[in-house]
Amino acid sequence: LRSLTSWQLAFDKHGEPLDVVYERTVELAPPAGKEVLVNIRAAPINPSDINTAQGTYPKLPKLPGVMGHEGAGYVLECGPDVKALKTGDLVVPAYGAMGTWRNLACYDEDTLIRMNPEL
């Protein structure tokens, strides 16, 4: 069995980012079903991220949550029921508040958009 650890910038309450955002590591299970393991390679800091930490942005993740609305990464591994994506695909989140401020994440394949890697 392999062990994967995701480094994340998380928060479990709303407030000023410097007061509520903290670093954590979380063990990840292999992707199951329609899950896709993604190596997040870029995730910007936007005003919406600051507002999310403060609790004033309209789209908020469930708490505790991982910061980050936008990002891009590469598929590392796919669950057995994944049909539209494959290892090596460049993907971006289809929705905000998916928690992109981390190095590894498991997302449902339906929440990702495959990008042209030549862009």
Side-chain angles (χ1 to χ4, degrees):
L1 291 171
R2 63 142 171 81
S3 176
L4 286 178
T5 303
S6 175
W7 174 86
Q8 307 175 347
L9 289 177
F11 65 122
D12 51 20
K13 62 183 176 182
H14 297 291
E16 290 305 311
L18 291 175
D19 297 331
V20 299
V21 177
Y22 60 93
E23 179 181 350
R24 71 178 182 187
T25 56
V26 176
E27 290 286 325
L28 293 180
K34 293 183 72 174
E35 289 180 327
V36 177
L37 179 65
V38 177
N39 176 217
I40 305 290
R41 300 305 302 262
I45 300 172
N46 288 311
S48 63
D49 296 308
I50 303 305
N51 295 147
T52 296
Q54 295 167 331
T56 59
Y57 195 69
K59 176 84 171 159
L60 296 172
K62 294 179 184 174
L63 296 180
V66 177
M67 292 290 299
H69 284 278
E70 300 173 357
Y74 291 95
V75 174
L76 294 180
E77 191 175 340
C78 296
D81 300 326
V82 172
K83 305 289 185 228
L85 298 171
K86 65 183 183 314
T87 300
D89 281 347
L90 175 63
V91 294
V92 298
Y95 309 102
M98 288 179 54
T100 57
W101 290 9
R102 55 178 131 191
N103 66 330
L104 295 172
C106 270
Y107 296 118
D108 188 271
E109 114 177 273
D110 296 332
T111 65
L112 298 170
I113 298 170
R114 184 177 54 235
M115 302 298 294
N116 181 341
E118 296 181 21
L119 291 178

